[in-house]
Amino acid sequence: MMTKRILSIIWLSCATTVAGAQGTAVTLDACRRAAVERSPLSARQTLVGEKRKAQDRATSSSLLPQLEIQAQGSYQNEVPKLPTDFPLPVTMDLPKDQYRATVELNQVIYAGHSVRNTKRLHAATAEVETASLAVELDRLRDRINRTYIGILLTEKQLEVNRLMRETLESNLRAVTARMEQGMATGAEQASLAARMLELNQERIALSGERAKYITALTELTGMEITERTYFEIPPVPTEGIPDGEAAPFKKRSEMKLYTKQRNLLEAQNRMSNSRSNPQLSLFASGGYGRPGYDLFDRNFAPMAIGGLRFRLPLTSWDATQKEKKINRVAGRDIDQQQRDFERNVSIEAAQYRVQIERLQETIQLDPTLVEARKVVREQAQAQFEQGVITATEYLTEFNNEAAARISAEVNALRLVEAWIAYQAVRGIYN
């Protein structure tokens, strides 16, 4: 409770000061949502569904009656003839130039479940692609997290820099007044002026770093971000840290991807089985040509035939078994990948829990440390103004206070960053 109270005081005071001077407020959740909506990955997820529907329609078309027109003209050097000693008074005089035009109709009755299994394969493939895109979108959210925290850190450092420059400007005015009275030397003024230059250099570097982060955030989200935009600090979750959470990886997108990859292997096995199944179809053919089905007639004649066709592959069994063996090996590889992933996520989550606990303890001491450094700096300032200590000695305490203030602000934001990272490791982005 003490940690939450300290964080609330720090963040509320900063938010009140900054929000009053700046414009539109931006939240981390809004940035993540905007980045996801703007990302081509989201458009690709829609295309995956459209592609699957098109594939299914193409597969279903194989069940429709198939019509085919064929035409052929040929000339051959020999044709069948009856032997001269043939006992019957029959002659066969086939022409060497032959012509044929037909229309053929084929209708599948049973395709060995190949159409159904093909559609299942399309569905499993689409689910794998969608799950893969979801993993990439989580990486985009992680990038937004890092960019947003980078902006907050630079803003806090700039705020501390501004406070310290204001304090040093007051010191410089006091030293200048003392110099006019002959109570201070130019060396003291030069020391303070040099430190002011360093603070200005830090301000320029921090401003450049902030501009870099804002440019990246603008490009990723498409949001209108100006110098007056106020970035809200994400709140730390009210619930405590899960103590040794058994499965911190259960909500990760990668877990769904592993499941979908296994489903795809099962769909491939079913597809392999369907290639070995028997197939049954109706066929009919009609046309006109010379010779027709009557080989003894050399005139053009109509032709028609129809029936039932049965097909049973006898040599595809071995290929099917080899494909299944490949899929079994691929399935074991997926299992190994998942086990390695679960172990790494568990380790990473444990590390973040330790970091959060350490930061919670640290920020409890930060306000006391800052106040102590401020008191010492004020005492040193009074001694410096009285000529008791040198400018170098005063700057030492001045720098100590600046470091303590920066450390306190950074620690508070590091705790927020650690919570965000810990939630992201667990697959939580809200």
Side-chain angles (χ1 to χ4, degrees):
M1 294 300 293
M2 179 64 70
T3 300
K4 296 174 185 175
R5 189 176 297 110
I6 293 171
L7 283 174
S8 300
I9 294 173
I10 294 174
W11 292 339
L12 182 60
S13 62
C14 292
T16 303
T17 302
V18 179
Q22 295 185 339
T24 306
V26 172
T27 64
L28 175 58
D29 282 340
C31 290
R32 286 191 296 227
R33 288 194 299 269
V36 169
E37 292 173 0
R38 180 179 173 84
S39 173
L41 297 173
S42 297
R44 287 176 59 191
Q45 285 185 322
T46 303
L47 293 176
V48 168
E50 294 179 0
K51 182 177 68 173
R52 175 195 167 185
K53 291 179 181 178
Q55 290 173 330
D56 286 347
R57 286 194 295 268
T59 301
S60 297
S61 64
S62 64
L63 296 177
L64 298 175
Q66 305 295 314
L67 283 173
E68 185 177 279
I69 296 178
Q70 295 184 3
Q72 177 180 316
S74 64
Y75 181 86
Q76 56 196 64
N77 65 334
E78 291 289 344
V79 293
K81 296 179 180 179
L82 294 176
T84 56
D85 56 350
F86 194 72
L88 297 177
V90 178
T91 60
M92 185 171 63
D93 185 16
L94 295 178
K96 293 184 177 180
D97 56 322
Q98 299 182 4
Y99 307 92
R100 176 172 295 187
T102 59
V103 176
E104 294 188 4
L105 172 67
N106 287 279
Q107 173 63 62
V108 175
I109 299 177
Y110 175 72
H113 302 301
S114 63
V115 173
R116 183 180 63 183
N117 289 334
T118 299
K119 290 183 177 181
R120 288 177 175 175
L121 183 61
H122 293 163
T125 302
E127 289 175 354
V128 168
E129 292 178 2
T130 301
S132 298
L133 291 172
V135 172
E136 293 185 42
L137 284 173
D138 281 350
R139 303 293 76 77
L140 174 61
R141 294 184 181 97
D142 291 338
R143 184 177 179 184
I144 295 296
N145 289 346
R146 293 191 298 268
T147 304
Y148 195 92
I149 290 295
I151 293 173
L152 293 178
L153 284 171
T154 53
E155 285 186 342
K156 291 302 180 185
Q157 291 171 333
L158 280 168
E159 179 65 18
V160 173
N161 180 275
R162 181 186 64 79
L163 293 174
M164 303 314 294
R165 282 188 291 109
E166 289 177 356
T167 301
L168 201 56
E169 285 173 358
S170 175
N171 297 150
L172 274 170
R173 288 194 294 270
V175 169
T176 301
R178 289 172 56 202
M179 284 181 60
E180 293 174 353
Q181 300 172 5
M183 299 174 62
T185 64
E188 293 175 338
Q189 185 186 44
S191 297
L192 296 180
R195 180 61 180 132
M196 178 63 76
L197 289 175
E198 291 175 353
L199 288 174
N200 283 327
Q201 287 179 332
E202 292 176 7
R203 176 182 59 80
I204 293 171
L206 289 170
S207 297
E209 192 75 6
R210 180 180 182 273
K212 181 184 71 175
Y213 283 127
I214 287 179
T215 299
L217 190 64
T218 302
E219 291 295 326
L220 290 171
T221 63
M223 301 173 68
E224 184 177 354
I225 300 175
T226 66
E227 289 298 322
R228 293 179 57 81
T229 300
Y230 167 60
F231 295 89
E232 292 186 4
I233 298 177
V236 171
T238 56
E239 69 271 12
I241 306 175
D243 186 15
E245 189 175 5
F249 43 78
K250 61 184 178 181
K251 293 184 179 180
R252 288 289 294 264
S253 299
E254 289 85 348
M255 298 300 292
K256 182 178 291 186
L257 175 59
Y258 294 135
T259 300
K260 299 304 181 183
Q261 287 175 336
R262 293 189 186 92
N263 293 342
L264 177 59
L265 293 178
E266 293 177 3
Q268 290 174 344
N269 286 335
R270 287 194 295 267
M271 191 66 212
S272 297
N273 288 334
S274 65
R275 297 194 188 102
S276 302
N277 291 337
Q279 298 180 6
L280 190 65
S281 62
L282 291 172
F283 73 94
S285 176
Y288 196 71
R290 187 186 70 175
Y293 292 140
D294 184 358
L295 296 180
F296 296 97
D297 186 358
R298 60 178 293 127
N299 298 318
F300 282 91
M303 298 176 293
I305 187 174
L308 190 65
R309 182 179 289 119
F310 176 80
R311 176 177 175 270
L312 177 62
L314 296 178
T315 59
S316 61
W317 181 85
D318 184 61
T320 299
Q321 296 306 311
K322 289 179 179 178
E323 290 175 359
K324 289 183 176 181
K325 183 177 181 180
I326 293 173
N327 289 338
R328 285 195 296 270
V329 174
R332 290 198 296 270
D333 182 57
I334 293 173
D335 293 340
Q336 292 292 346
Q337 291 180 36
Q338 181 173 338
R339 281 193 287 269
D340 186 57
F341 173 78
E342 292 175 355
R343 184 189 62 171
N344 291 336
V345 170
S346 297
I347 293 173
E348 195 172 0
Q351 291 174 337
Y352 279 122
R353 286 197 296 270
V354 172
Q355 182 181 3
I356 289 171
E357 292 171 355
R358 180 185 61 80
L359 286 169
Q360 286 176 333
E361 295 174 357
T362 300
I363 64 174
Q364 290 181 4
L365 302 176
D366 280 336
T368 304
L369 177 59
V370 170
E371 184 62 27
R373 287 299 184 186
K374 179 182 177 182
V375 170
V376 173
R377 193 267 306 163
E378 290 175 345
Q379 292 175 350
Q381 180 177 342
Q383 293 174 341
F384 173 62
E385 292 173 352
Q386 296 170 6
V388 177
I389 62 175
T390 64
T392 301
E393 292 172 320
Y394 167 70
L395 284 176
T396 298
E397 301 304 331
F398 177 87
N399 293 335
N400 288 339
E401 182 189 0
R405 288 183 178 276
I406 292 174
S407 177
E409 296 289 356
V410 170
N411 286 339
L413 283 177
R414 290 299 183 196
L415 178 59
V416 177
E417 181 184 26
W419 265 109
I420 292 173
Y422 176 64
Q423 296 290 68
V425 165
R426 300 165 63 207
I428 301 174
Y429 290 94
N430 51 40

